Amino acid sequence: MFQDLHIFDVHAHFPIKGDPSQGGSLRTRETGRIDNPAAQERQKFRQEQLERTRHQWRMAFDFPEPETGEHSSEEQADRWVAELDKYGLERIGFVTGRDNDELSRVVQMYPDRFVGFAHHDITRPDAAEELERAVTKLGLKGLKQLAPAMPKIINDRSLYPVWEVCERLGIPALIHFGMLGAAGGVSYHPNISPAVLEPVARDFPTVDFIIPHFGIQHVTDLLFLCWSCPNVHVDTSGSNQWVRWMPYKLTLDDLFQRFFETVGPERILFGSDSSWFPRGFALRYLQDQLRICRFMGMTHDQLQLIFGGNAARLLNVPLGDIDAKKSEA
Ligand SMILES: [Zn+2]
Protein backbone atom coordinates (compact mmCIF):
# COMPACT_ATOMS: atom_id res chain seq x y z
CA MET A 1 0.00 0.00 0.00
CA PHE A 2 0.97 3.61 -0.37
CA GLN A 3 -0.11 5.34 2.84
CA ASP A 4 -3.61 3.84 3.29
CA LEU A 5 -4.38 3.37 -0.44
CA HIS A 6 -4.19 0.62 -3.06
CA ILE A 7 -2.54 2.48 -5.94
CA PHE A 8 -3.09 1.72 -9.63
CA ASP A 9 -1.08 4.03 -11.92
CA VAL A 10 -3.16 3.86 -15.10
CA HIS A 11 -0.76 5.65 -17.44
CA ALA A 12 2.89 4.66 -17.90
CA HIS A 13 5.03 3.72 -20.90
CA PHE A 14 7.10 0.54 -20.92
CA PRO A 15 10.61 1.66 -21.80
CA ILE A 16 11.98 -0.20 -24.81
CA LYS A 17 14.83 1.16 -26.90
CA GLY A 18 13.80 2.22 -30.39
CA ASP A 19 10.06 2.18 -29.64
CA PRO A 20 8.49 4.04 -32.58
CA SER A 21 5.51 5.06 -30.41
CA GLN A 22 7.85 7.29 -28.37
CA GLY A 23 8.87 9.58 -31.23
CA GLY A 24 5.68 11.66 -31.47
CA SER A 25 7.24 15.04 -30.84
CA LEU A 26 9.71 14.85 -33.71
CA ARG A 27 7.25 13.62 -36.31
CA THR A 28 7.11 15.95 -39.30
CA ARG A 29 5.71 15.79 -42.79
CA GLU A 30 9.26 15.03 -43.87
CA THR A 31 9.41 11.85 -41.83
CA GLY A 32 10.07 8.92 -44.13
CA ARG A 33 11.98 10.97 -46.68
CA ILE A 34 14.79 12.55 -44.75
CA ASP A 35 17.43 11.19 -47.10
CA ASN A 36 18.61 14.58 -48.41
CA PRO A 37 21.18 16.67 -46.52
CA ALA A 38 18.87 19.69 -46.00
CA ALA A 39 16.16 17.55 -44.42
CA GLN A 40 18.74 15.80 -42.24
CA GLU A 41 20.03 19.20 -41.13
CA ARG A 42 16.48 20.28 -40.17
CA GLN A 43 15.92 17.06 -38.24
CA LYS A 44 19.21 17.53 -36.38
CA PHE A 45 18.20 21.11 -35.48
CA ARG A 46 14.82 19.96 -34.17
CA GLN A 47 16.49 17.21 -32.15
CA GLU A 48 18.88 19.68 -30.51
CA GLN A 49 16.07 22.10 -29.77
CA LEU A 50 14.07 19.31 -28.18
CA GLU A 51 17.03 18.16 -26.10
CA ARG A 52 17.44 21.70 -24.73
CA THR A 53 13.82 22.05 -23.65
CA ARG A 54 13.77 18.56 -22.17
CA HIS A 55 16.89 19.36 -20.18
CA GLN A 56 15.24 22.52 -18.79
CA TRP A 57 12.14 20.53 -17.88
CA ARG A 58 14.20 17.87 -16.06
CA MET A 59 16.04 20.56 -14.12
CA ALA A 60 12.72 22.15 -13.06
CA PHE A 61 11.42 18.85 -11.69
CA ASP A 62 14.85 17.66 -10.47
CA PHE A 63 14.68 14.51 -12.58
CA PRO A 64 17.89 12.70 -13.58
CA GLU A 65 19.06 12.42 -17.20
CA PRO A 66 17.61 9.33 -18.88
CA GLU A 67 20.06 6.46 -19.26
CA THR A 68 21.31 5.59 -22.72
CA GLY A 69 22.18 1.88 -22.36
CA GLU A 70 20.24 -1.03 -23.84
CA HIS A 71 18.11 -3.25 -21.63
CA SER A 72 16.06 -6.31 -22.48
CA SER A 73 12.31 -6.33 -21.85
CA GLU A 74 12.94 -8.90 -19.10
CA GLU A 75 15.33 -6.54 -17.32
CA GLN A 76 12.99 -3.58 -17.70
CA ALA A 77 10.04 -5.62 -16.37
CA ASP A 78 12.10 -6.64 -13.31
CA ARG A 79 13.11 -3.03 -12.75
CA TRP A 80 9.51 -1.87 -12.98
CA VAL A 81 8.25 -4.45 -10.51
CA ALA A 82 11.05 -3.41 -8.13
CA GLU A 83 9.78 0.19 -8.46
CA LEU A 84 6.22 -0.86 -7.62
CA ASP A 85 7.48 -2.79 -4.58
CA LYS A 86 9.76 0.04 -3.46
CA TYR A 87 6.88 2.52 -3.30
CA GLY A 88 4.09 0.14 -2.35
CA LEU A 89 2.16 0.49 -5.60
CA GLU A 90 -0.13 -2.35 -6.57
CA ARG A 91 -0.63 -2.10 -10.33
CA ILE A 92 0.62 -0.14 -13.32
CA GLY A 93 -0.87 0.28 -16.78
CA PHE A 94 1.54 0.44 -19.70
CA VAL A 95 -0.13 2.28 -22.55
CA THR A 96 2.74 1.62 -24.98
CA GLY A 97 5.57 -0.89 -25.26
CA ARG A 98 6.89 -1.22 -28.82
CA ASP A 99 3.98 -3.27 -30.21
CA ASN A 100 1.07 -5.38 -29.06
CA ASP A 101 2.96 -8.69 -29.12
CA GLU A 102 5.93 -7.36 -27.16
CA LEU A 103 3.81 -5.54 -24.57
CA SER A 104 1.70 -8.67 -24.11
CA ARG A 105 4.88 -10.65 -23.47
CA VAL A 106 5.94 -8.06 -20.89
CA VAL A 107 2.57 -8.05 -19.11
CA GLN A 108 2.64 -11.84 -18.85
CA MET A 109 5.91 -11.62 -16.91
CA TYR A 110 3.98 -9.97 -14.01
CA PRO A 111 0.29 -10.45 -14.80
CA ASP A 112 -0.89 -9.45 -11.33
CA ARG A 113 1.04 -6.15 -11.42
CA PHE A 114 1.10 -5.04 -15.08
CA VAL A 115 -1.83 -4.16 -17.36
CA GLY A 116 -1.22 -3.46 -21.05
CA PHE A 117 -3.02 -1.41 -23.68
CA ALA A 118 -3.16 -2.21 -27.39
CA HIS A 119 -1.44 0.54 -29.35
CA HIS A 120 -1.47 0.34 -33.12
CA ASP A 121 -2.52 2.57 -36.02
CA ILE A 122 -6.33 2.37 -35.98
CA THR A 123 -6.51 3.74 -39.54
CA ARG A 124 -4.98 0.45 -40.75
CA PRO A 125 -7.48 -1.63 -42.76
CA ASP A 126 -7.10 -4.52 -40.26
CA ALA A 127 -7.14 -2.30 -37.15
CA ALA A 128 -10.34 -3.74 -35.68
CA GLU A 129 -9.15 -7.33 -36.12
CA GLU A 130 -5.78 -6.44 -34.60
CA LEU A 131 -7.53 -4.90 -31.59
CA GLU A 132 -9.66 -8.01 -31.18
CA ARG A 133 -6.54 -10.20 -31.37
CA ALA A 134 -4.67 -7.96 -28.91
CA VAL A 135 -7.45 -8.34 -26.35
CA THR A 136 -8.72 -11.89 -26.83
CA LYS A 137 -5.44 -13.61 -27.76
CA LEU A 138 -2.78 -11.39 -26.21
CA GLY A 139 -4.63 -10.37 -23.04
CA LEU A 140 -4.30 -6.59 -23.41
CA LYS A 141 -7.09 -4.70 -21.65
CA GLY A 142 -7.57 -1.34 -23.34
CA LEU A 143 -6.78 0.71 -26.43
CA LYS A 144 -4.31 3.62 -26.45
CA GLN A 145 -4.21 6.27 -29.17
CA LEU A 146 -2.40 9.56 -29.77
CA ALA A 147 -5.08 11.57 -31.56
CA PRO A 148 -2.77 14.37 -32.81
CA ALA A 149 -0.57 11.76 -34.50
CA MET A 150 -3.41 10.19 -36.51
CA PRO A 151 -3.69 10.72 -40.27
CA LYS A 152 -7.48 10.94 -40.06
CA ILE A 153 -10.09 12.79 -38.02
CA ILE A 154 -10.83 10.54 -35.06
CA ASN A 155 -14.62 10.62 -35.51
CA ASP A 156 -14.38 9.36 -39.11
CA ARG A 157 -17.00 6.68 -39.76
CA SER A 158 -14.36 4.39 -41.27
CA LEU A 159 -12.93 3.95 -37.73
CA TYR A 160 -16.23 2.82 -36.22
CA PRO A 161 -15.37 -0.91 -36.45
CA VAL A 162 -12.61 -0.22 -33.91
CA TRP A 163 -15.04 1.38 -31.43
CA GLU A 164 -17.42 -1.53 -32.05
CA VAL A 165 -14.69 -3.90 -30.85
CA CYS A 166 -14.20 -1.77 -27.70
CA GLU A 167 -17.96 -1.91 -27.15
CA ARG A 168 -18.26 -5.65 -27.70
CA LEU A 169 -15.22 -6.59 -25.59
CA GLY A 170 -15.93 -4.02 -22.86
CA ILE A 171 -12.52 -2.33 -23.00
CA PRO A 172 -11.75 1.36 -22.43
CA ALA A 173 -9.93 3.64 -24.88
CA LEU A 174 -7.30 6.02 -23.51
CA ILE A 175 -6.82 8.76 -26.10
CA HIS A 176 -4.33 11.60 -25.88
CA PHE A 177 -5.46 15.03 -27.10
CA GLY A 178 -3.67 18.36 -26.87
CA MET A 179 -0.04 19.13 -27.43
CA LEU A 180 2.10 16.11 -28.02
CA GLY A 181 5.65 15.65 -26.76
CA ALA A 182 7.96 18.16 -25.12
CA ALA A 183 8.28 21.77 -26.33
CA GLY A 184 8.89 21.63 -30.06
CA GLY A 185 6.19 18.98 -30.35
CA VAL A 186 2.78 19.03 -32.04
CA SER A 187 0.29 21.76 -31.03
CA TYR A 188 -1.74 22.01 -34.26
CA HIS A 189 -3.72 19.11 -35.75
CA PRO A 190 -7.33 18.40 -36.73
CA ASN A 191 -7.49 16.03 -33.72
CA ILE A 192 -5.87 18.44 -31.25
CA SER A 193 -9.01 18.98 -29.13
CA PRO A 194 -11.03 16.23 -27.40
CA ALA A 195 -14.16 17.99 -28.72
CA VAL A 196 -13.72 15.96 -31.96
CA LEU A 197 -14.40 12.79 -29.97
CA GLU A 198 -17.96 13.78 -29.05
CA PRO A 199 -19.75 11.98 -31.93
CA VAL A 200 -17.86 8.77 -31.08
CA ALA A 201 -18.43 9.04 -27.32
CA ARG A 202 -22.11 9.70 -27.99
CA ASP A 203 -22.50 6.85 -30.50
CA PHE A 204 -20.76 4.39 -28.15
CA PRO A 205 -22.19 5.26 -24.73
CA THR A 206 -20.99 2.06 -23.05
CA VAL A 207 -17.37 2.51 -24.11
CA ASP A 208 -15.30 4.29 -21.45
CA PHE A 209 -12.99 6.93 -22.91
CA ILE A 210 -10.10 8.20 -20.80
CA ILE A 211 -8.56 11.53 -21.79
CA PRO A 212 -5.12 11.97 -20.23
CA HIS A 213 -3.46 15.03 -18.68
CA PHE A 214 -6.83 16.76 -17.98
CA GLY A 215 -7.14 17.41 -21.75
CA ILE A 216 -4.08 19.70 -21.76
CA GLN A 217 -4.74 23.08 -23.40
CA HIS A 218 -8.30 22.07 -24.25
CA VAL A 219 -9.38 21.70 -20.65
CA THR A 220 -12.57 23.68 -21.37
CA ASP A 221 -13.47 21.42 -24.31
CA LEU A 222 -12.85 18.38 -22.11
CA LEU A 223 -15.09 19.68 -19.32
CA PHE A 224 -17.86 20.22 -21.87
CA LEU A 225 -17.24 16.80 -23.41
CA CYS A 226 -17.55 15.28 -19.92
CA TRP A 227 -20.80 17.17 -19.45
CA SER A 228 -22.05 15.90 -22.80
CA CYS A 229 -20.92 12.28 -22.41
CA PRO A 230 -20.86 10.56 -18.98
CA ASN A 231 -18.63 7.82 -20.43
CA VAL A 232 -15.70 10.26 -20.72
CA HIS A 233 -13.10 10.16 -17.93
CA VAL A 234 -9.84 12.03 -17.30
CA ASP A 235 -6.39 10.94 -16.22
CA THR A 236 -4.11 13.15 -14.17
CA SER A 237 -0.81 11.91 -15.56
CA GLY A 238 2.42 13.72 -16.26
CA SER A 239 4.04 16.90 -15.06
CA ASN A 240 1.03 18.94 -16.26
CA GLN A 241 3.48 21.76 -16.94
CA TRP A 242 1.15 22.80 -19.79
CA VAL A 243 -0.76 24.93 -17.26
CA ARG A 244 2.05 27.47 -17.74
CA TRP A 245 0.91 28.22 -21.30
CA MET A 246 -2.69 28.97 -20.45
CA PRO A 247 -3.69 32.62 -20.88
CA TYR A 248 -5.08 32.69 -17.36
CA LYS A 249 -3.64 31.44 -14.10
CA LEU A 250 -4.27 27.74 -13.72
CA THR A 251 -2.69 25.31 -11.26
CA LEU A 252 -2.87 21.58 -10.67
CA ASP A 253 -4.99 22.36 -7.59
CA ASP A 254 -7.45 24.27 -9.83
CA LEU A 255 -7.67 21.31 -12.20
CA PHE A 256 -8.43 18.83 -9.45
CA GLN A 257 -11.00 21.15 -7.91
CA ARG A 258 -12.76 21.92 -11.18
CA PHE A 259 -12.92 18.30 -12.35
CA PHE A 260 -13.87 16.97 -8.94
CA GLU A 261 -16.79 19.38 -8.64
CA THR A 262 -17.98 18.77 -12.21
CA VAL A 263 -17.37 15.05 -12.91
CA GLY A 264 -16.99 13.72 -9.35
CA PRO A 265 -14.58 11.14 -7.93
CA GLU A 266 -15.62 8.29 -10.24
CA ARG A 267 -14.28 9.75 -13.48
CA ILE A 268 -10.81 10.91 -12.42
CA LEU A 269 -7.95 8.38 -12.72
CA PHE A 270 -4.47 8.79 -11.28
CA GLY A 271 -1.61 8.35 -13.74
CA SER A 272 2.08 9.26 -13.69
CA ASP A 273 3.23 8.97 -17.33
CA SER A 274 6.39 7.32 -15.97
CA SER A 275 8.67 5.43 -18.35
CA TRP A 276 12.46 5.82 -18.31
CA PHE A 277 15.17 4.98 -15.86
CA PRO A 278 16.88 6.01 -13.67
CA ARG A 279 13.82 8.09 -12.79
CA GLY A 280 11.52 5.07 -12.75
CA PHE A 281 8.23 5.85 -11.03
CA ALA A 282 7.69 9.63 -10.92
CA LEU A 283 6.95 9.66 -7.18
CA ARG A 284 6.60 13.42 -6.91
CA TYR A 285 3.54 13.42 -9.19
CA LEU A 286 1.80 10.98 -6.85
CA GLN A 287 2.85 12.96 -3.78
CA ASP A 288 1.74 16.30 -5.28
CA GLN A 289 -1.62 14.96 -6.47
CA LEU A 290 -2.36 13.13 -3.24
CA ARG A 291 -1.54 16.22 -1.20
CA ILE A 292 -3.93 18.30 -3.31
CA CYS A 293 -6.74 15.76 -2.96
CA ARG A 294 -6.20 15.35 0.79
CA PHE A 295 -6.23 19.12 1.29
CA MET A 296 -9.50 19.24 -0.66
CA GLY A 297 -10.96 17.14 2.11
CA MET A 298 -11.75 14.07 0.04
CA THR A 299 -12.87 11.01 1.95
CA HIS A 300 -10.83 7.81 1.97
CA ASP A 301 -13.31 6.19 -0.45
CA GLN A 302 -13.04 9.10 -2.89
CA LEU A 303 -9.24 8.98 -2.75
CA GLN A 304 -9.30 5.22 -3.29
CA LEU A 305 -11.44 5.65 -6.43
CA ILE A 306 -9.15 8.27 -7.97
CA PHE A 307 -5.86 6.60 -7.07
CA GLY A 308 -6.80 3.06 -8.05
CA GLY A 309 -10.44 2.00 -7.87
CA ASN A 310 -11.60 3.69 -11.07
CA ALA A 311 -8.76 2.23 -13.12
CA ALA A 312 -9.42 -1.25 -11.74
CA ARG A 313 -13.15 -0.95 -12.57
CA LEU A 314 -12.62 0.36 -16.12
CA LEU A 315 -9.88 -2.16 -16.94
CA ASN A 316 -11.72 -4.98 -15.20
CA VAL A 317 -8.91 -6.16 -12.90
CA PRO A 318 -8.98 -6.74 -9.14
CA LEU A 319 -7.34 -4.27 -6.75
CA GLY A 320 -6.33 -4.87 -3.16
CA ASP A 321 -5.44 -8.55 -3.55
CA ILE A 322 -1.72 -7.95 -4.00
CA ASP A 323 -1.50 -5.67 -0.98
CA ALA A 324 -3.48 -8.25 1.02
CA LYS A 325 -1.06 -11.02 -0.01
CA LYS A 326 1.92 -8.86 0.89
CA SER A 327 0.58 -8.05 4.34
CA GLU A 328 -0.10 -11.76 5.01
CA ALA A 329 3.48 -12.66 4.06
ZN1 LIG B 1 1.86 9.16 -21.85
Side-chain angles (χ1 to χ4, degrees):
M1 297 187 82
F2 185 89
Q3 299 177 354
D4 54 349
L5 298 167
H6 305 293
I7 305 283
F8 186 164
D9 176 356
V10 78
H11 185 150
H13 298 265
F14 190 76
I16 302 182
K17 261 275 184 265
D19 184 350
S21 64
Q22 295 294 295
S25 55
L26 276 181
R27 212 166 289 160
T28 73
R29 286 192 238 187
E30 285 189 327
T31 304
R33 44 193 169 90
I34 51 168
D35 45 359
N36 67 80
Q40 280 167 5
E41 199 52 40
R42 289 182 206 120
Q43 192 68 0
K44 187 166 156 271
F45 188 81
R46 281 183 211 108
Q47 183 68 48
E48 286 165 1
Q49 212 175 20
L50 187 67
E51 275 313 313
R52 258 198 312 278
T53 56
R54 284 197 174 153
H55 177 74
Q56 287 163 354
W57 169 80
R58 282 195 291 271
M59 293 286 275
F61 282 90
D62 194 27
F63 289 141
E65 295 282 318
E67 65 189 9
T68 50
E70 298 268 350
H71 290 270
S72 67
S73 291
E74 282 76 4
E75 287 171 313
Q76 297 292 58
D78 289 348
R79 293 168 97 188
W80 258 112
V81 137
E83 285 292 294
L84 299 187
D85 286 343
K86 176 174 163 191
Y87 296 114
L89 314 175
E90 190 164 318
R91 283 184 184 274
I92 192 162
F94 290 115
V95 298
T96 61
R98 185 181 296 152
D99 57 41
N100 295 342
D101 288 286
E102 184 63 5
L103 186 56
S104 163
R105 208 171 69 76
V106 166
V107 166
Q108 280 159 28
M109 294 175 199
Y110 294 99
D112 51 357
R113 311 300 293 281
F114 297 170
V115 173
F117 286 69
H119 179 66
H120 56 279
D121 176 5
I122 60 165
T123 66
R124 268 163 55 172
D126 67 336
E129 291 78 45
E130 172 59 9
L131 179 57
E132 175 128 25
R133 183 185 79 92
V135 176
T136 60
K137 300 273 194 311
L138 301 180
L140 300 179
K141 295 199 174 287
L143 171 68
K144 165 69 194 294
Q145 287 293 295
L146 296 168
M150 288 172 61
K152 224 178 229 181
I153 193 94
I154 199 164
N155 60 33
D156 195 285
R157 292 294 298 221
S158 67
L159 303 178
Y160 270 38
V162 171
W163 312 123
E164 283 160 13
V165 172
C166 293
E167 181 181 56
R168 188 156 40 80
L169 301 180
I171 59 159
L174 191 150
I175 308 172
H176 176 110
F177 291 93
M179 70 180 200
L180 190 58
V186 175
S187 72
Y188 159 72
H189 189 279
N191 284 333
I192 202 74
S193 164
V196 301
L197 189 68
E198 188 182 303
V200 180
R202 193 184 293 284
D203 286 346
F204 295 92
T206 63
V207 176
D208 290 308
F209 294 93
I210 306 163
I211 314 300
H213 325 300
F214 294 103
I216 316 192
Q217 72 266 40
H218 303 285
V219 57
T220 310
D221 288 353
L222 180 54
L223 284 161
F224 279 90
L225 179 65
C226 286
W227 167 79
S228 177
C229 302
N231 51 328
V232 174
H233 309 255
V234 300
D235 97 23
T236 64
S237 66
S239 67
N240 287 301
Q241 65 158 340
W242 59 266
V243 294
R244 294 163 56 213
W245 293 288
M246 297 303 280
Y248 47 85
K249 192 164 160 27
L250 186 71
T251 64
L252 192 55
D253 297 60
D254 298 324
L255 287 169
F256 268 99
Q257 284 163 17
R258 188 47 53 88
F259 276 89
F260 186 76
E261 68 194 21
T262 51
V263 306
E266 284 170 359
R267 292 161 69 189
I268 303 172
L269 287 74
F270 163 71
S272 71
D273 217 2
S274 300
S275 56
W276 43 275
F277 289 98
R279 184 183 70 170
F281 178 67
L283 176 66
R284 64 178 302 163
Y285 298 161
L286 173 60
Q287 291 171 323
D288 286 348
Q289 296 184 21
L290 202 46
R291 184 191 66 241
I292 290 169
C293 292
R294 287 197 188 277
F295 282 172
M296 282 170 63
M298 289 189 199
T299 65
H300 177 266
D301 287 355
Q302 290 169 334
L303 292 169
Q304 184 55 71
L305 284 171
I306 292 173
F307 289 90
N310 293 331
R313 183 182 75 246
L314 264 50
L315 288 154
N316 199 19
V317 294
L319 190 70
D321 53 337
I322 302 302
D323 286 332
K325 264 183 233 158
K326 279 191 193 295
S327 61
E328 272 166 34

